[in-house]
Amino acid sequence: MPANLPPGLPIVPDGPPDSGPFDMSDDDFESAVTDALNRIPAKIASAMDNVAVFIEDDYVPRPGEDPDTVLLGLYEGVPLTERDSWWDAGSLPDRITIFRQPILEICGSRDEVIEEVAVTVVHEIAHHFGIGEERLHELGWD
């Protein structure tokens, strides 16, 4: 991943050019994210610390980033492996954002959306635990 990109899952949709996004209501998409979070094993979920999960329509590249950057999800924060004893003093929650439109654009069915949301949620939670892109790729979570 280029150094100027934030940690996350950069993708370039490679579906057929004339296929439109899968149509799913905001409520159904939110349910898919909630279901994915509920499938995280209790031991892992209880180890997560000070994390908030959000859903946004799309990632907006920041100044200096490639304007064509597409992300399915984004982890912003300090991974557990990098926190020190002073970290908790006034720290805002880490933020995981799942981007609705890019996921819908690469999926052709409800089942594909549910699967892609689950993979994206796991991917971003892994970053919270300090697992980088290379290791996620080795484990097949990309």
Side-chain angles (χ1 to χ4, degrees), residues 47-49 75 77-85 87 94 125-132:
M48 293 173 64
D49 182 38
Y75 168 75
V78 178
L80 295 176
T81 55
E82 296 177 20
R83 295 180 184 180
D84 60 22
S85 61
W87 182 86
D94 288 3
I125 288 173
H127 290 314
H128 174 67
F129 284 99
I131 300 171

Side-chain angles (χ1 to χ4, degrees), residues 1-75:
M1 171 176 16
N4 65 336
L5 287 180
L9 182 61
I11 59 102
V12 177
D14 58 0
D18 57 354
S19 67
F22 181 75
D23 188 24
M24 179 180 269
S25 74
D26 291 351
D27 288 342
D28 285 348
F29 190 86
E30 183 176 335
S31 291
V33 172
T34 300
D35 290 347
L37 289 167
N38 288 337
R39 288 194 285 175
I40 301 298
K43 189 172 183 176
I44 292 172
S46 68
M48 293 173 64
D49 182 38
N50 203 19
V51 181
V53 178
F54 299 89
I55 298 170
E56 292 183 11
D57 266 348
D58 208 349
Y59 176 73
V60 177
R62 296 174 182 143
E65 289 181 349
D66 182 346
D68 295 327
T69 299
V70 176
L71 297 178
L72 302 182
L74 177 65
Y75 168 75

